[in-house]
Amino acid sequence: MREFSAEYLETTRAGMWADSREALADLDLSGRERVLDVGCGTGELTRVLREESPAEVIGLDADRGLLASVDPPRLQGDALSLPVADDSFDLVVCQALLVNLPDPAAAVAEFARVSTELVAAIEPNNAAVSVTSSADPEAHLARRARELYLQGISTDATLGADAAGVFEAAGLTDVTTARYDHERRIDPPYSEHAVEAARRKASGEGLEADRETMLAGDATPEEVDDLREAWRAMGRDVIAQMQADEYHRREVVPFFVTAGSVPE
Protein backbone atom coordinates (compact mmCIF):
# COMPACT_ATOMS: atom_id res chain seq x y z
CA MET A 1 0.00 0.00 0.00
CA ARG A 2 1.21 3.52 -0.78
CA GLU A 3 1.98 5.69 2.25
CA PHE A 4 1.25 9.39 2.65
CA SER A 5 2.41 12.08 5.03
CA ALA A 6 0.06 13.95 7.34
CA GLU A 7 0.82 17.16 5.43
CA TYR A 8 -0.13 15.55 2.10
CA LEU A 9 -3.42 14.20 3.42
CA GLU A 10 -4.40 17.42 5.14
CA THR A 11 -3.59 19.46 2.02
CA THR A 12 -5.27 17.26 -0.58
CA ARG A 13 -8.42 16.76 1.52
CA ALA A 14 -8.68 20.34 2.79
CA GLY A 15 -12.16 21.72 2.17
CA MET A 16 -13.63 18.43 0.99
CA TRP A 17 -17.35 18.28 1.82
CA ALA A 18 -17.31 21.98 2.74
CA ASP A 19 -19.74 22.93 -0.03
CA SER A 20 -22.12 19.95 -0.02
CA ARG A 21 -22.59 16.57 1.64
CA GLU A 22 -25.46 15.47 -0.58
CA ALA A 23 -23.38 12.65 -2.07
CA LEU A 24 -23.30 11.03 1.37
CA ALA A 25 -27.11 10.69 1.49
CA ASP A 26 -27.12 6.92 0.77
CA LEU A 27 -25.05 6.32 3.92
CA ASP A 28 -28.06 7.27 6.11
CA LEU A 29 -25.69 8.90 8.59
CA SER A 30 -28.44 10.29 10.79
CA GLY A 31 -29.64 6.76 11.56
CA ARG A 32 -26.29 5.19 12.43
CA GLU A 33 -25.15 3.98 15.86
CA ARG A 34 -21.56 2.77 15.32
CA VAL A 35 -19.38 3.78 12.36
CA LEU A 36 -15.85 2.72 11.47
CA ASP A 37 -13.74 4.98 9.23
CA VAL A 38 -11.00 2.71 7.80
CA GLY A 39 -7.75 4.26 6.63
CA CYS A 40 -8.81 7.50 8.27
CA GLY A 41 -5.39 9.12 7.98
CA THR A 42 -5.49 12.46 9.77
CA GLY A 43 -9.25 12.22 10.26
CA GLU A 44 -10.78 14.58 7.69
CA LEU A 45 -13.66 12.20 6.91
CA THR A 46 -13.89 11.09 10.54
CA ARG A 47 -14.72 14.66 11.53
CA VAL A 48 -17.38 14.95 8.81
CA LEU A 49 -19.00 11.69 9.93
CA ARG A 50 -19.08 12.90 13.53
CA GLU A 51 -20.73 16.14 12.44
CA GLU A 52 -23.35 14.38 10.33
CA SER A 53 -24.17 11.41 12.57
CA PRO A 54 -25.14 10.83 16.22
CA ALA A 55 -23.18 7.58 16.04
CA GLU A 56 -19.97 6.68 17.80
CA VAL A 57 -17.46 7.14 14.96
CA ILE A 58 -14.12 5.36 15.31
CA GLY A 59 -11.16 6.27 13.11
CA LEU A 60 -8.80 3.43 12.18
CA ASP A 61 -5.45 3.61 10.42
CA ALA A 62 -2.30 1.53 10.21
CA ASP A 63 -0.09 4.58 10.75
CA ARG A 64 0.21 5.55 14.41
CA GLY A 65 1.67 8.93 13.46
CA LEU A 66 -1.36 9.87 11.36
CA LEU A 67 -3.73 8.69 14.08
CA ALA A 68 -2.21 11.23 16.46
CA SER A 69 -4.22 13.89 14.57
CA VAL A 70 -7.53 12.06 15.13
CA ASP A 71 -9.58 12.66 18.28
CA PRO A 72 -10.54 9.46 20.19
CA PRO A 73 -12.04 6.98 19.82
CA ARG A 74 -9.47 5.62 17.38
CA LEU A 75 -7.78 2.31 16.56
CA GLN A 76 -4.56 1.26 14.91
CA GLY A 77 -5.04 -1.58 12.46
CA ASP A 78 -4.76 -3.03 8.97
CA ALA A 79 -7.62 -2.59 6.50
CA LEU A 80 -7.20 -6.19 5.35
CA SER A 81 -7.34 -7.60 8.90
CA LEU A 82 -9.46 -5.31 11.04
CA PRO A 83 -8.84 -5.70 14.78
CA VAL A 84 -12.56 -5.82 15.62
CA ALA A 85 -15.14 -8.57 15.96
CA ASP A 86 -17.72 -9.57 13.36
CA ASP A 87 -20.82 -7.37 13.15
CA SER A 88 -19.32 -4.61 15.33
CA PHE A 89 -20.60 -1.65 13.28
CA ASP A 90 -23.65 -0.75 11.23
CA LEU A 91 -21.54 1.27 8.75
CA VAL A 92 -17.93 0.77 7.64
CA VAL A 93 -16.58 3.43 5.31
CA CYS A 94 -13.29 4.57 3.77
CA GLN A 95 -12.09 7.51 1.71
CA ALA A 96 -9.32 7.33 -0.92
CA LEU A 97 -8.13 3.99 0.48
CA LEU A 98 -9.16 1.28 -1.99
CA VAL A 99 -7.53 3.14 -4.86
CA ASN A 100 -4.18 2.57 -3.12
CA LEU A 101 -4.65 -1.14 -2.36
CA PRO A 102 -3.53 -3.99 -4.65
CA ASP A 103 -6.63 -6.06 -3.73
CA PRO A 104 -9.52 -3.68 -3.00
CA ALA A 105 -12.13 -6.45 -3.14
CA ALA A 106 -10.41 -8.22 -0.23
CA ALA A 107 -10.62 -5.02 1.82
CA VAL A 108 -14.32 -4.58 1.02
CA ALA A 109 -14.99 -8.19 2.04
CA GLU A 110 -13.23 -7.49 5.36
CA PHE A 111 -15.37 -4.36 5.83
CA ALA A 112 -18.47 -6.50 5.26
CA ARG A 113 -17.31 -8.94 7.93
CA VAL A 114 -17.46 -6.29 10.65
CA SER A 115 -20.59 -4.49 9.40
CA THR A 116 -24.17 -5.52 10.05
CA GLU A 117 -25.73 -3.25 7.43
CA LEU A 118 -23.71 -1.07 5.06
CA VAL A 119 -20.24 -0.72 3.55
CA ALA A 120 -19.24 2.45 1.69
CA ALA A 121 -16.18 3.79 -0.10
CA ILE A 122 -15.44 7.32 -1.29
CA GLU A 123 -12.87 6.83 -4.03
CA PRO A 124 -11.44 9.10 -6.73
CA ASN A 125 -10.90 8.56 -10.42
CA ASN A 126 -7.40 10.01 -10.45
CA ALA A 127 -7.11 9.65 -14.22
CA ALA A 128 -9.97 12.14 -14.68
CA VAL A 129 -8.54 15.02 -12.63
CA SER A 130 -8.82 18.34 -14.47
CA VAL A 131 -6.65 21.43 -14.03
CA THR A 132 -7.09 24.96 -15.36
CA SER A 133 -4.47 27.60 -14.70
CA SER A 134 -3.50 31.15 -15.61
CA ALA A 135 0.00 29.77 -16.25
CA ASP A 136 -0.65 28.52 -19.78
CA PRO A 137 1.54 25.37 -19.79
CA GLU A 138 0.42 24.15 -16.36
CA ALA A 139 -2.73 22.25 -17.35
CA HIS A 140 -0.90 20.35 -20.10
CA LEU A 141 2.15 19.61 -17.97
CA ALA A 142 0.03 18.50 -15.01
CA ARG A 143 -1.88 16.12 -17.27
CA ARG A 144 1.35 14.67 -18.70
CA ALA A 145 2.94 14.30 -15.26
CA ARG A 146 -0.19 12.53 -14.00
CA GLU A 147 -0.21 10.15 -16.98
CA LEU A 148 3.41 9.15 -16.46
CA TYR A 149 2.94 8.75 -12.70
CA LEU A 150 -0.20 6.63 -13.02
CA GLN A 151 1.51 4.36 -15.55
CA GLY A 152 4.11 3.58 -12.91
CA ILE A 153 1.85 2.63 -10.01
CA SER A 154 0.55 -0.89 -9.44
CA THR A 155 -2.94 0.01 -8.18
CA ASP A 156 -6.05 1.10 -10.10
CA ALA A 157 -6.07 4.90 -10.30
CA THR A 158 -9.54 4.91 -11.88
CA LEU A 159 -11.16 2.64 -9.28
CA GLY A 160 -13.61 5.25 -8.05
CA ALA A 161 -15.50 5.19 -11.33
CA ASP A 162 -16.00 1.42 -11.13
CA ALA A 163 -16.02 0.68 -7.41
CA ALA A 164 -19.49 -0.85 -7.82
CA GLY A 165 -17.88 -3.82 -9.53
CA VAL A 166 -15.53 -4.29 -6.59
CA PHE A 167 -18.45 -4.19 -4.15
CA GLU A 168 -20.41 -6.76 -6.13
CA ALA A 169 -17.33 -9.00 -6.35
CA ALA A 170 -17.14 -8.84 -2.54
CA GLY A 171 -20.75 -10.08 -2.29
CA LEU A 172 -22.50 -6.81 -1.39
CA THR A 173 -25.98 -6.10 -2.72
CA ASP A 174 -28.15 -3.09 -3.60
CA VAL A 175 -25.04 -1.17 -4.66
CA THR A 176 -25.44 2.56 -5.32
CA THR A 177 -23.04 5.23 -6.56
CA ALA A 178 -23.09 9.03 -6.26
CA ARG A 179 -20.51 11.44 -7.65
CA TYR A 180 -18.90 14.30 -5.75
CA ASP A 181 -16.41 16.70 -7.36
CA HIS A 182 -13.78 18.02 -4.96
CA GLU A 183 -12.58 21.43 -6.14
CA ARG A 184 -9.33 22.98 -4.98
CA ARG A 185 -8.53 26.57 -5.93
CA ILE A 186 -5.54 28.85 -5.61
CA ASP A 187 -6.34 32.56 -5.81
CA PRO A 188 -4.88 35.68 -4.19
CA PRO A 189 -4.20 36.23 -1.37
CA TYR A 190 -2.01 33.13 -1.51
CA SER A 191 -1.65 30.74 1.40
CA GLU A 192 1.73 29.67 2.69
CA HIS A 193 1.10 26.23 1.21
CA ALA A 194 0.32 27.71 -2.23
CA VAL A 195 3.56 29.70 -2.18
CA GLU A 196 5.52 26.62 -1.15
CA ALA A 197 3.87 24.59 -3.93
CA ALA A 198 4.97 27.21 -6.47
CA ARG A 199 8.51 27.08 -5.13
CA ARG A 200 8.53 23.29 -5.48
CA LYS A 201 7.38 23.63 -9.07
CA ALA A 202 10.17 26.07 -9.88
CA SER A 203 12.79 23.83 -8.27
CA GLY A 204 11.41 20.62 -9.79
CA GLU A 205 11.31 18.95 -6.36
CA GLY A 206 7.81 17.54 -6.77
CA LEU A 207 8.55 15.77 -10.04
CA GLU A 208 11.93 14.58 -8.81
CA ALA A 209 10.17 12.84 -5.91
CA ASP A 210 7.97 11.01 -8.45
CA ARG A 211 10.81 10.15 -10.84
CA GLU A 212 11.22 6.54 -9.70
CA THR A 213 7.50 5.87 -10.04
CA MET A 214 7.38 7.41 -13.52
CA LEU A 215 10.33 5.31 -14.65
CA ALA A 216 8.56 2.19 -13.38
CA GLY A 217 6.03 2.75 -16.15
CA ASP A 218 6.63 3.56 -19.82
CA ALA A 219 8.54 6.80 -19.32
CA THR A 220 12.17 7.08 -20.39
CA PRO A 221 14.75 9.05 -18.36
CA GLU A 222 14.88 11.58 -21.19
CA GLU A 223 11.11 12.10 -21.10
CA VAL A 224 11.16 12.63 -17.33
CA ASP A 225 14.10 15.05 -17.58
CA ASP A 226 12.40 17.06 -20.35
CA LEU A 227 9.17 17.21 -18.37
CA ARG A 228 11.04 18.37 -15.28
CA GLU A 229 12.72 21.22 -17.16
CA ALA A 230 9.38 22.36 -18.62
CA TRP A 231 7.83 22.02 -15.16
CA ARG A 232 10.52 24.23 -13.62
CA ALA A 233 9.99 26.92 -16.26
CA MET A 234 6.26 26.79 -15.60
CA GLY A 235 6.95 27.13 -11.87
CA ARG A 236 8.96 30.29 -12.46
CA ASP A 237 6.01 31.69 -14.42
CA VAL A 238 3.69 30.81 -11.53
CA ILE A 239 5.92 32.65 -9.07
CA ALA A 240 6.03 35.72 -11.31
CA GLN A 241 2.23 35.71 -11.56
CA MET A 242 1.94 35.34 -7.80
CA GLN A 243 4.16 38.34 -7.25
CA ALA A 244 1.69 40.33 -9.35
CA ASP A 245 -1.38 38.70 -7.69
CA GLU A 246 -2.36 37.30 -11.09
CA TYR A 247 -2.04 33.56 -10.55
CA HIS A 248 -5.21 31.43 -10.49
CA ARG A 249 -5.48 27.64 -10.45
CA ARG A 250 -8.47 25.31 -10.28
CA GLU A 251 -8.26 21.54 -9.86
CA VAL A 252 -11.26 19.21 -9.82
CA VAL A 253 -10.96 15.64 -8.55
CA PRO A 254 -14.01 13.43 -9.21
CA PHE A 255 -14.92 11.18 -6.27
CA PHE A 256 -17.53 8.41 -6.30
CA VAL A 257 -19.43 7.42 -3.16
CA THR A 258 -20.26 3.72 -3.53
CA ALA A 259 -22.39 1.93 -0.94
CA GLY A 260 -23.54 -1.67 -0.68
CA SER A 261 -25.66 -3.68 1.74
CA VAL A 262 -24.30 -6.61 3.72
CA PRO A 263 -26.37 -9.75 2.92
CA GLU A 264 -28.25 -11.17 5.87
Side-chain angles (χ1 to χ4, degrees):
M1 177 180 169
R2 294 164 59 200
E3 296 182 355
F4 301 97
S5 68
E7 180 183 9
Y8 174 86
L9 293 176
E10 290 168 352
T11 300
T12 57
R13 298 181 184 182
M16 190 164 180
W17 309 113
D19 55 344
S20 172
R21 296 176 180 178
E22 184 179 349
L24 300 175
D26 286 345
L27 277 57
D28 186 25
L29 293 175
S30 63
R32 297 297 165 195
E33 295 181 0
R34 281 177 56 83
V35 176
L36 181 66
D37 178 14
V38 182
C40 65
T42 47
E44 286 73 22
L45 178 62
T46 310
R47 287 186 282 275
V48 169
L49 296 172
R50 289 171 178 171
E51 291 170 3
E52 295 294 315
S53 175
E56 177 184 41
V57 179
I58 298 176
L60 179 146
D61 201 278
D63 190 321
R64 184 182 298 274
L66 298 180
L67 277 175
S69 299
V70 183
D71 290 335
R74 61 197 180 202
L75 283 173
Q76 184 177 12
D78 189 332
L80 295 175
S81 183
L82 296 172
V84 295
D86 294 0
D87 304 330
S88 295
F89 300 88
D90 52 11
L91 169 64
V92 178
V93 62
C94 67
Q95 177 172 296
L97 173 70
L98 302 182
V99 72
N100 295 307
L101 297 179
D103 190 354
V108 173
E110 177 67 353
F111 298 175
R113 176 185 70 81
V114 305
S115 176
T116 58
E117 295 184 24
L118 201 71
V119 170
I122 304 162
E123 299 292 329
N125 177 354
N126 284 325
V129 176
S130 65
V131 173
T132 56
S133 170
S134 58
D136 288 340
E138 184 170 13
H140 167 73
L141 293 174
R143 183 169 59 252
R144 182 57 178 157
R146 187 178 310 108
E147 289 171 350
L148 294 181
Y149 182 84
L150 294 180
Q151 288 171 9
I153 63 175
S154 58
T155 56
D156 183 2
T158 68
L159 183 140
D162 191 34
V166 174
F167 273 51
E168 290 165 355
L172 297 175
T173 62
D174 303 320
V175 178
T176 64
T177 300
R179 175 169 171 161
Y180 174 78
D181 287 341
H182 177 33
E183 178 182 290
R184 299 198 292 262
R185 301 187 66 98
I186 298 177
D187 297 294
Y190 306 112
S191 67
E192 181 178 338
H193 173 76
V195 173
E196 175 61 15
R199 186 197 66 77
R200 286 173 58 83
K201 288 185 175 87
S203 70
E205 288 179 33
L207 283 189
E208 186 61 30
D210 293 337
R211 180 183 180 85
E212 184 176 345
T213 301
M214 291 180 176
L215 293 177
D218 297 332
T220 65
E222 293 75 19
E223 284 179 309
V224 176
D225 289 342
D226 289 346
L227 176 62
R228 185 171 182 268
E229 286 307 305
W231 191 266
R232 293 180 64 193
M234 176 268 292
R236 292 191 291 271
D237 185 23
V238 169
I239 289 175
Q241 289 191 22
M242 279 185 160
Q243 291 171 342
D245 282 344
E246 294 176 350
Y247 179 62
H248 302 271
R249 185 182 192 275
R250 177 177 180 265
E251 179 179 76
V252 178
V253 183
F255 279 82
F256 296 83
V257 183
T258 302
S261 299
V262 179
E264 295 182 2

